[in-house]
Amino acid sequence: MCGIVGYIGKKPVYDILINGLKKLEYRGYDSTGVMIYNQKVLIKKSKGKVTDLESLFTNSEEKKGSVGIGHTRWATHGPPNTVNSHPHSSSSGEITIVHNGIIENYDSIKKILIKKGYKFQSDTDSEVLANLIEDVKKTKKVKLGKAVHYALKQVVGAYAVVIFDSSNPNEIVGARLGSPLAIGVGDSEYYFGSDATPFLEFTKRCIYLNDNEMFVVSLKKGLTLREIKMDSIVDPYIQELKQSIEEVEKGGYDHFMLKEIFEQPQSIIDTFRGRLISPKDPISISSIEKHFEVFKNANRIIFISCGTSWHSSLLAEYYFEELLRIPVEVEYASEFRYRNPIINKGDIVIPVSQSGETADTLAAIKLAKERGAFLYGICNVVGSSIARETHTGIYTHAGSEIGVASTKAFSCQISLLLLMALKLGEKLGTIEKTRYKRILAELNNLPKSIRKVLSKNNIIEDISKKFINSSNFLYLGRGYNFPIALEGALKLKEISYIHAEGYPAAEMKHGPIALIDEKMPVVVIATKKGSYHKVLSNVMEIKARGAEIIAIVSKNDTEIIDIADHVIEIPNCDELIAPILANIPLQLLSYHIANKKGCNVDQPRNLAKSVTVE
Ligand code: M6R
């Protein structure tokens, strides 16, 4: 949930830390801070964003130094003020730490340390860890690496930590359990980051730490990686990253979110590359081919996920049950992990995640694994924890998604889930051949169809102007479009702070209709086929109660077009493809409303891109 950076080498560290933190702000932006070592430790921290921190450096002397660590915070323990900002120091000031995660037993450790005379400035669990490391180092008379090792054995919780000891400034120590941490390996220099983006411009050689691993990096002795529980040396696996720096920059757009919305045709091409070759060829998904027997014998498929990825999973339920005829359940990972779920032999659990680091999803995976499920992971971030913790799986290849509100990752998830369902349905013989071929042809055409929807951007921007002062919104959809109603509402609420609810259109009469009046705009997804005429009746009911209606309809609609106040057309398509296209105007509508309200679209308040705490 927080972002960590660090560097040790010969380059001036200030720019590396500041630019790195800016790239990680999507992980949290309540407060930020850095420690720079130049003969002595200098710590500067600030409530707010990295630009606030930069303004504290008025003297160029303060920027000097070639070792440093930094942090951008999403507050857990203690309010987002300067004192609670990272880095945190031990009482003596010798140990400095940046931490992402939660130390659950921090309170009991703190009490013991207070009795021993340690003083605390902040409310954070991280300061407790800094003092615990110092205490272990002094009482056991060991070096920083050993002290961190012993200290981490005492803590319960989750962490990615990077630690500096001013008594040995040529060394940096770090560790991970449950929160991500990457090391960039340069020429006699090392970079550290919650992900690789802070160091991508300097090195593509990257080590992703596994849970329970720690490292000691010394300018004299190089890097040592160790498994914490076994206390054994691990051979580092250095990956060559393929990501480019352009991918993580705005490229002329005002916001990452808008850039990512417009990148969707290309993201879909990347997601389908090597998997959907031509309308005639079969779909190639090696992880399904390899484990086809598991799918063939599956009694049940359970999707586990959170937020937008949960909406993808819900749509997958519709796709998989329709095309595979295998029972599907969809679970919030946060509920699944705590409710003693029944997992039977022959159950396949499919976690879906953009980041591959969501704490609840990871905990649910662990539980499902313990209970014998076969785990097939779907995630976007290559090398992420979910990719490593599952038996097999598939990457969405949407590219880096920086905007906190998920857009292109969602489109790639649902397109890939449809592709998987088609592949499995064809192999199982549960999908009729002509239908299979028709949908395949439409999927091949999907990037083009998305471009057509994106060309409506100006119309959508115009519509958005009318709603910047609305306080509530209702989103309605039916069948395959119901998960899109939920996703549209989530997108609007998270970036514009307008209250929005998604509902199955027919459920409206069971309660929400009471809310409808002229002050309640209603977005209706009413594409052709499926339940079109039933949704049309719902539209009439809403109109009769005076609400302003924004309808997403299929091209050449002749009925809703006369009733709705605003109409956005998507190309005519199969009802399984319609939700993928119908979602795009809703992304743009949310974006324009939020942007016109002056909201921080890329970094909405209280949110973070990757939720690595419970
Ligand atoms: O990385 P994940 O897909 O596992 O993240 C799940 C949710 O935290 C995420 O989708 C969240 O709801 C987004 N802010 C939605 O835009």
Side-chain angles (χ1 to χ4, degrees), residues 78-115:
N81 55 28
T82 306
V83 176
N84 288 330
S85 304
H86 295 225
H88 288 286
S89 301
S90 58
S91 285
S92 73
E94 216 168 82
I95 306 291
T96 313
I97 188 171
V98 286
H99 168 219
N100 169 28
I102 293 181
I103 307 298
E104 288 169 15
N105 59 340
Y106 82 103
D107 201 34
S108 55
I109 298 174
K110 189 171 182 176
K111 283 184 182 130
I112 297 168
L113 291 171
I114 288 173
K115 276 193 193 142

mmCIF file of all heavy atoms in Angstrom, residues 78-115:
data_model
loop_
_atom_site.group_PDB
_atom_site.id
_atom_site.type_symbol
_atom_site.label_atom_id
_atom_site.label_comp_id
_atom_site.label_asym_id
_atom_site.label_seq_id
_atom_site.Cartn_x
_atom_site.Cartn_y
_atom_site.Cartn_z
ATOM 1 N N GLY A 78 -1.874 5.525 12.598
ATOM 2 C CA GLY A 78 -1.620 6.940 12.841
ATOM 3 C C GLY A 78 -2.014 7.790 11.649
ATOM 4 O O GLY A 78 -1.918 7.350 10.504
ATOM 5 N N PRO A 79 -2.493 9.014 11.932
ATOM 6 C CA PRO A 79 -2.949 9.898 10.859
ATOM 7 C C PRO A 79 -1.827 10.294 9.908
ATOM 8 O O PRO A 79 -0.646 10.212 10.256
ATOM 9 C CB PRO A 79 -3.483 11.120 11.611
ATOM 10 C CG PRO A 79 -2.932 11.033 12.977
ATOM 11 C CD PRO A 79 -2.603 9.614 13.261
ATOM 12 N N PRO A 80 -2.208 10.756 8.707
ATOM 13 C CA PRO A 80 -1.186 11.117 7.721
ATOM 14 C C PRO A 80 -0.544 12.476 8.008
ATOM 15 O O PRO A 80 -0.851 13.456 7.342
ATOM 16 C CB PRO A 80 -1.971 11.124 6.404
ATOM 17 C CG PRO A 80 -3.387 11.330 6.770
ATOM 18 C CD PRO A 80 -3.573 10.838 8.168
ATOM 19 N N ASN A 81 0.285 12.546 9.026
ATOM 20 C CA ASN A 81 0.986 13.805 9.303
ATOM 21 C C ASN A 81 2.493 13.611 9.141
ATOM 22 O O ASN A 81 2.962 12.503 8.839
ATOM 23 C CB ASN A 81 0.639 14.307 10.717
ATOM 24 C CG ASN A 81 0.945 13.236 11.767
ATOM 25 O OD1 ASN A 81 1.823 12.402 11.559
ATOM 26 N ND2 ASN A 81 0.229 13.252 12.868
ATOM 27 N N THR A 82 3.244 14.677 9.384
ATOM 28 C CA THR A 82 4.689 14.600 9.138
ATOM 29 C C THR A 82 5.365 13.602 10.078
ATOM 30 O O THR A 82 6.233 12.838 9.664
ATOM 31 C CB THR A 82 5.307 16.012 9.315
ATOM 32 O OG1 THR A 82 4.571 16.893 8.475
ATOM 33 C CG2 THR A 82 6.749 16.041 8.911
ATOM 34 N N VAL A 83 4.955 13.614 11.348
ATOM 35 C CA VAL A 83 5.614 12.725 12.325
ATOM 36 C C VAL A 83 5.444 11.255 11.939
ATOM 37 O O VAL A 83 6.376 10.449 12.060
ATOM 38 C CB VAL A 83 5.031 12.973 13.744
ATOM 39 C CG1 VAL A 83 5.624 12.005 14.756
ATOM 40 C CG2 VAL A 83 5.300 14.394 14.169
ATOM 41 N N ASN A 84 4.271 10.911 11.465
ATOM 42 C CA ASN A 84 4.028 9.512 11.110
ATOM 43 C C ASN A 84 4.605 9.127 9.743
ATOM 44 O O ASN A 84 4.567 7.957 9.361
ATOM 45 C CB ASN A 84 2.524 9.216 11.141
ATOM 46 C CG ASN A 84 1.991 9.169 12.566
ATOM 47 O OD1 ASN A 84 2.727 8.803 13.490
ATOM 48 N ND2 ASN A 84 0.735 9.541 12.755
ATOM 49 N N SER A 85 5.104 10.113 9.017
ATOM 50 C CA SER A 85 5.696 9.810 7.708
ATOM 51 C C SER A 85 6.971 9.006 7.877
ATOM 52 O O SER A 85 7.669 9.130 8.886
ATOM 53 C CB SER A 85 6.075 11.104 6.984
ATOM 54 O OG SER A 85 4.970 11.934 6.876
ATOM 55 N N HIS A 86 7.291 8.256 6.859
ATOM 56 C CA HIS A 86 8.561 7.520 6.840
ATOM 57 C C HIS A 86 9.607 8.394 6.152
ATOM 58 O O HIS A 86 9.237 9.285 5.412
ATOM 59 C CB HIS A 86 8.405 6.230 6.036
ATOM 60 C CG HIS A 86 7.454 5.255 6.657
ATOM 61 N ND1 HIS A 86 7.726 3.914 6.772
ATOM 62 C CD2 HIS A 86 6.213 5.413 7.175
ATOM 63 C CE1 HIS A 86 6.693 3.301 7.330
ATOM 64 N NE2 HIS A 86 5.758 4.192 7.579
ATOM 65 N N PRO A 87 10.874 8.145 6.316
ATOM 66 C CA PRO A 87 11.522 7.096 7.082
ATOM 67 C C PRO A 87 11.379 7.318 8.590
ATOM 68 O O PRO A 87 11.214 8.448 9.052
ATOM 69 C CB PRO A 87 12.991 7.226 6.681
ATOM 70 C CG PRO A 87 13.018 8.023 5.429
ATOM 71 C CD PRO A 87 11.838 8.902 5.485
ATOM 72 N N HIS A 88 11.486 6.203 9.336
ATOM 73 C CA HIS A 88 11.504 6.266 10.788
ATOM 74 C C HIS A 88 12.880 5.852 11.297
ATOM 75 O O HIS A 88 13.520 4.991 10.698
ATOM 76 C CB HIS A 88 10.437 5.346 11.379
ATOM 77 C CG HIS A 88 9.059 5.891 11.149
ATOM 78 N ND1 HIS A 88 8.569 6.965 11.848
ATOM 79 C CD2 HIS A 88 8.085 5.537 10.283
ATOM 80 C CE1 HIS A 88 7.343 7.249 11.428
ATOM 81 N NE2 HIS A 88 7.026 6.395 10.471
ATOM 82 N N SER A 89 13.258 6.499 12.415
ATOM 83 C CA SER A 89 14.571 6.198 12.975
ATOM 84 C C SER A 89 14.417 5.539 14.319
ATOM 85 O O SER A 89 13.415 5.746 15.019
ATOM 86 C CB SER A 89 15.357 7.491 13.194
ATOM 87 O OG SER A 89 15.483 8.137 11.975
ATOM 88 N N SER A 90 15.444 4.800 14.706
ATOM 89 C CA SER A 90 15.490 4.241 16.065
ATOM 90 C C SER A 90 15.809 5.381 17.035
ATOM 91 O O SER A 90 16.223 6.467 16.609
ATOM 92 C CB SER A 90 16.561 3.162 16.133
ATOM 93 O OG SER A 90 17.799 3.733 15.762
ATOM 94 N N SER A 91 15.652 5.123 18.337
ATOM 95 C CA SER A 91 15.869 6.169 19.350
ATOM 96 C C SER A 91 17.222 6.847 19.197
ATOM 97 O O SER A 91 17.334 8.067 19.297
ATOM 98 C CB SER A 91 15.780 5.565 20.752
ATOM 99 O OG SER A 91 14.446 5.301 21.065
ATOM 100 N N SER A 92 18.271 6.063 18.931
ATOM 101 C CA SER A 92 19.620 6.652 18.832
ATOM 102 C C SER A 92 19.823 7.370 17.497
ATOM 103 O O SER A 92 20.780 8.100 17.318
ATOM 104 C CB SER A 92 20.674 5.549 18.941
ATOM 105 O OG SER A 92 20.686 4.805 17.738
ATOM 106 N N GLY A 93 18.949 7.106 16.536
ATOM 107 C CA GLY A 93 19.085 7.699 15.207
ATOM 108 C C GLY A 93 19.960 6.874 14.279
ATOM 109 O O GLY A 93 20.153 7.219 13.110
ATOM 110 N N GLU A 94 20.490 5.751 14.795
ATOM 111 C CA GLU A 94 21.428 4.960 13.989
ATOM 112 C C GLU A 94 20.712 4.185 12.878
ATOM 113 O O GLU A 94 21.185 4.100 11.754
ATOM 114 C CB GLU A 94 22.130 3.977 14.929
ATOM 115 C CG GLU A 94 23.574 3.735 14.579
ATOM 116 C CD GLU A 94 24.276 3.008 15.700
ATOM 117 O OE1 GLU A 94 24.165 1.765 15.778
ATOM 118 O OE2 GLU A 94 24.922 3.690 16.519
ATOM 119 N N ILE A 95 19.573 3.620 13.207
ATOM 120 C CA ILE A 95 18.832 2.794 12.239
ATOM 121 C C ILE A 95 17.733 3.645 11.597
ATOM 122 O O ILE A 95 16.961 4.309 12.297
ATOM 123 C CB ILE A 95 18.160 1.582 12.943
ATOM 124 C CG1 ILE A 95 19.179 0.774 13.741
ATOM 125 C CG2 ILE A 95 17.374 0.718 11.960
ATOM 126 C CD1 ILE A 95 20.184 0.022 12.926
ATOM 127 N N THR A 96 17.643 3.602 10.275
ATOM 128 C CA THR A 96 16.549 4.287 9.560
ATOM 129 C C THR A 96 15.846 3.253 8.687
ATOM 130 O O THR A 96 16.500 2.431 8.038
ATOM 131 C CB THR A 96 17.090 5.415 8.664
ATOM 132 O OG1 THR A 96 18.019 6.173 9.423
ATOM 133 C CG2 THR A 96 15.985 6.330 8.199
ATOM 134 N N ILE A 97 14.517 3.348 8.685
ATOM 135 C CA ILE A 97 13.747 2.299 8.015
ATOM 136 C C ILE A 97 12.621 2.896 7.165
ATOM 137 O O ILE A 97 12.038 3.914 7.529
ATOM 138 C CB ILE A 97 13.165 1.341 9.097
ATOM 139 C CG1 ILE A 97 12.510 0.111 8.472
ATOM 140 C CG2 ILE A 97 12.174 2.011 9.996
ATOM 141 C CD1 ILE A 97 12.128 -0.945 9.522
ATOM 142 N N VAL A 98 12.338 2.275 6.025
ATOM 143 C CA VAL A 98 11.079 2.522 5.315
ATOM 144 C C VAL A 98 10.354 1.184 5.248
ATOM 145 O O VAL A 98 10.977 0.147 5.028
ATOM 146 C CB VAL A 98 11.285 3.141 3.909
ATOM 147 C CG1 VAL A 98 11.672 4.597 4.001
ATOM 148 C CG2 VAL A 98 12.297 2.368 3.073
ATOM 149 N N HIS A 99 9.061 1.233 5.448
ATOM 150 C CA HIS A 99 8.293 -0.007 5.628
ATOM 151 C C HIS A 99 6.961 0.096 4.903
ATOM 152 O O HIS A 99 6.267 1.096 4.988
ATOM 153 C CB HIS A 99 8.079 -0.212 7.147
ATOM 154 C CG HIS A 99 7.092 -1.266 7.518
ATOM 155 N ND1 HIS A 99 6.216 -1.113 8.574
ATOM 156 C CD2 HIS A 99 6.822 -2.487 6.992
ATOM 157 C CE1 HIS A 99 5.463 -2.197 8.683
ATOM 158 N NE2 HIS A 99 5.810 -3.047 7.734
ATOM 159 N N ASN A 100 6.607 -0.984 4.228
ATOM 160 C CA ASN A 100 5.266 -1.104 3.633
ATOM 161 C C ASN A 100 4.647 -2.371 4.197
ATOM 162 O O ASN A 100 5.216 -3.450 4.042
ATOM 163 C CB ASN A 100 5.402 -1.201 2.099
ATOM 164 C CG ASN A 100 4.103 -1.590 1.424
ATOM 165 O OD1 ASN A 100 3.022 -1.306 1.934
ATOM 166 N ND2 ASN A 100 4.188 -2.228 0.281
ATOM 167 N N GLY A 101 3.513 -2.237 4.870
ATOM 168 C CA GLY A 101 2.875 -3.414 5.459
ATOM 169 C C GLY A 101 2.361 -3.087 6.853
ATOM 170 O O GLY A 101 2.226 -1.910 7.207
ATOM 171 N N ILE A 102 2.081 -4.115 7.623
ATOM 172 C CA ILE A 102 1.591 -3.888 8.984
ATOM 173 C C ILE A 102 2.273 -4.877 9.922
ATOM 174 O O ILE A 102 2.259 -6.087 9.669
ATOM 175 C CB ILE A 102 0.056 -4.080 9.065
ATOM 176 C CG1 ILE A 102 -0.669 -2.987 8.273
ATOM 177 C CG2 ILE A 102 -0.418 -4.080 10.510
ATOM 178 C CD1 ILE A 102 -2.168 -3.075 8.310
ATOM 179 N N ILE A 103 2.848 -4.356 11.002
ATOM 180 C CA ILE A 103 3.394 -5.236 12.037
ATOM 181 C C ILE A 103 2.273 -5.418 13.064
ATOM 182 O O ILE A 103 1.950 -4.493 13.824
ATOM 183 C CB ILE A 103 4.651 -4.598 12.712
ATOM 184 C CG1 ILE A 103 5.690 -4.196 11.658
ATOM 185 C CG2 ILE A 103 5.240 -5.546 13.760
ATOM 186 C CD1 ILE A 103 6.261 -5.295 10.812
ATOM 187 N N GLU A 104 1.668 -6.595 13.046
ATOM 188 C CA GLU A 104 0.459 -6.794 13.869
ATOM 189 C C GLU A 104 0.759 -6.798 15.363
ATOM 190 O O GLU A 104 -0.058 -6.362 16.161
ATOM 191 C CB GLU A 104 -0.236 -8.095 13.453
ATOM 192 C CG GLU A 104 -0.901 -7.969 12.085
ATOM 193 C CD GLU A 104 -1.373 -9.291 11.525
ATOM 194 O OE1 GLU A 104 -1.458 -10.283 12.265
ATOM 195 O OE2 GLU A 104 -1.649 -9.325 10.306
ATOM 196 N N ASN A 105 1.913 -7.327 15.765
ATOM 197 C CA ASN A 105 2.226 -7.391 17.204
ATOM 198 C C ASN A 105 3.096 -6.210 17.657
ATOM 199 O O ASN A 105 3.864 -6.325 18.607
ATOM 200 C CB ASN A 105 2.892 -8.725 17.557
ATOM 201 C CG ASN A 105 4.183 -8.958 16.770
ATOM 202 O OD1 ASN A 105 4.373 -8.328 15.734
ATOM 203 N ND2 ASN A 105 5.040 -9.829 17.258
ATOM 204 N N TYR A 106 2.956 -5.087 16.956
ATOM 205 C CA TYR A 106 3.828 -3.940 17.268
ATOM 206 C C TYR A 106 3.600 -3.411 18.685
ATOM 207 O O TYR A 106 4.526 -2.954 19.357
ATOM 208 C CB TYR A 106 3.633 -2.812 16.236
ATOM 209 C CG TYR A 106 2.446 -1.922 16.478
ATOM 210 C CD1 TYR A 106 2.601 -0.646 17.014
ATOM 211 C CD2 TYR A 106 1.159 -2.363 16.200
ATOM 212 C CE1 TYR A 106 1.516 0.163 17.256
ATOM 213 C CE2 TYR A 106 0.064 -1.555 16.439
ATOM 214 C CZ TYR A 106 0.245 -0.295 16.966
ATOM 215 O OH TYR A 106 -0.838 0.498 17.218
ATOM 216 N N ASP A 107 2.337 -3.517 19.163
ATOM 217 C CA ASP A 107 2.013 -2.920 20.452
ATOM 218 C C ASP A 107 2.754 -3.627 21.590
ATOM 219 O O ASP A 107 3.342 -2.977 22.462
ATOM 220 C CB ASP A 107 0.487 -2.999 20.654
ATOM 221 C CG ASP A 107 0.039 -1.984 21.680
ATOM 222 O OD1 ASP A 107 0.656 -0.907 21.714
ATOM 223 O OD2 ASP A 107 -0.891 -2.296 22.456
ATOM 224 N N SER A 108 2.746 -4.966 21.563
ATOM 225 C CA SER A 108 3.424 -5.694 22.643
ATOM 226 C C SER A 108 4.936 -5.460 22.570
ATOM 227 O O SER A 108 5.598 -5.288 23.595
ATOM 228 C CB SER A 108 3.082 -7.190 22.596
ATOM 229 O OG SER A 108 3.379 -7.691 21.327
ATOM 230 N N ILE A 109 5.485 -5.408 21.350
ATOM 231 C CA ILE A 109 6.940 -5.159 21.217
ATOM 232 C C ILE A 109 7.257 -3.746 21.718
ATOM 233 O O ILE A 109 8.239 -3.519 22.438
ATOM 234 C CB ILE A 109 7.387 -5.324 19.737
ATOM 235 C CG1 ILE A 109 7.140 -6.759 19.260
ATOM 236 C CG2 ILE A 109 8.863 -4.964 19.577
ATOM 237 C CD1 ILE A 109 7.416 -6.990 17.778
ATOM 238 N N LYS A 110 6.373 -2.806 21.401
ATOM 239 C CA LYS A 110 6.597 -1.403 21.795
ATOM 240 C C LYS A 110 6.674 -1.297 23.322
ATOM 241 O O LYS A 110 7.554 -0.614 23.871
ATOM 242 C CB LYS A 110 5.464 -0.532 21.242
ATOM 243 C CG LYS A 110 5.679 0.961 21.392
ATOM 244 C CD LYS A 110 4.598 1.721 20.619
ATOM 245 C CE LYS A 110 4.798 3.217 20.714
ATOM 246 N NZ LYS A 110 3.832 3.965 19.907
ATOM 247 N N LYS A 111 5.738 -2.010 23.998
ATOM 248 C CA LYS A 111 5.714 -1.932 25.470
ATOM 249 C C LYS A 111 7.035 -2.418 26.051
ATOM 250 O O LYS A 111 7.590 -1.806 26.967
ATOM 251 C CB LYS A 111 4.544 -2.763 26.004
ATOM 252 C CG LYS A 111 3.217 -2.029 25.830
ATOM 253 C CD LYS A 111 2.062 -2.773 26.430
ATOM 254 C CE LYS A 111 0.778 -1.985 26.169
ATOM 255 N NZ LYS A 111 -0.283 -2.794 25.596
ATOM 256 N N ILE A 112 7.556 -3.522 25.503
ATOM 257 C CA ILE A 112 8.833 -4.067 26.007
ATOM 258 C C ILE A 112 9.954 -3.053 25.759
ATOM 259 O O ILE A 112 10.781 -2.780 26.635
ATOM 260 C CB ILE A 112 9.153 -5.417 25.306
ATOM 261 C CG1 ILE A 112 8.066 -6.450 25.655
ATOM 262 C CG2 ILE A 112 10.534 -5.936 25.693
ATOM 263 C CD1 ILE A 112 8.095 -7.716 24.820
ATOM 264 N N LEU A 113 9.955 -2.460 24.570
ATOM 265 C CA LEU A 113 11.026 -1.514 24.224
ATOM 266 C C LEU A 113 10.952 -0.254 25.090
ATOM 267 O O LEU A 113 11.982 0.293 25.501
ATOM 268 C CB LEU A 113 10.948 -1.148 22.734
ATOM 269 C CG LEU A 113 11.309 -2.291 21.762
ATOM 270 C CD1 LEU A 113 10.979 -1.894 20.318
ATOM 271 C CD2 LEU A 113 12.789 -2.656 21.860
ATOM 272 N N ILE A 114 9.724 0.183 25.396
ATOM 273 C CA ILE A 114 9.576 1.376 26.252
ATOM 274 C C ILE A 114 10.178 1.094 27.620
ATOM 275 O O ILE A 114 10.909 1.920 28.185
ATOM 276 C CB ILE A 114 8.091 1.806 26.343
ATOM 277 C CG1 ILE A 114 7.641 2.421 25.008
ATOM 278 C CG2 ILE A 114 7.857 2.812 27.486
ATOM 279 C CD1 ILE A 114 6.167 2.738 24.876
ATOM 280 N N LYS A 115 9.905 -0.129 28.129
ATOM 281 C CA LYS A 115 10.484 -0.496 29.443
ATOM 282 C C LYS A 115 12.002 -0.470 29.395
ATOM 283 O O LYS A 115 12.672 -0.186 30.375
ATOM 284 C CB LYS A 115 10.011 -1.905 29.834
ATOM 285 C CG LYS A 115 8.645 -1.888 30.492
ATOM 286 C CD LYS A 115 8.343 -3.211 31.149
ATOM 287 C CE LYS A 115 6.867 -3.249 31.515
ATOM 288 N NZ LYS A 115 6.261 -4.553 31.325
#
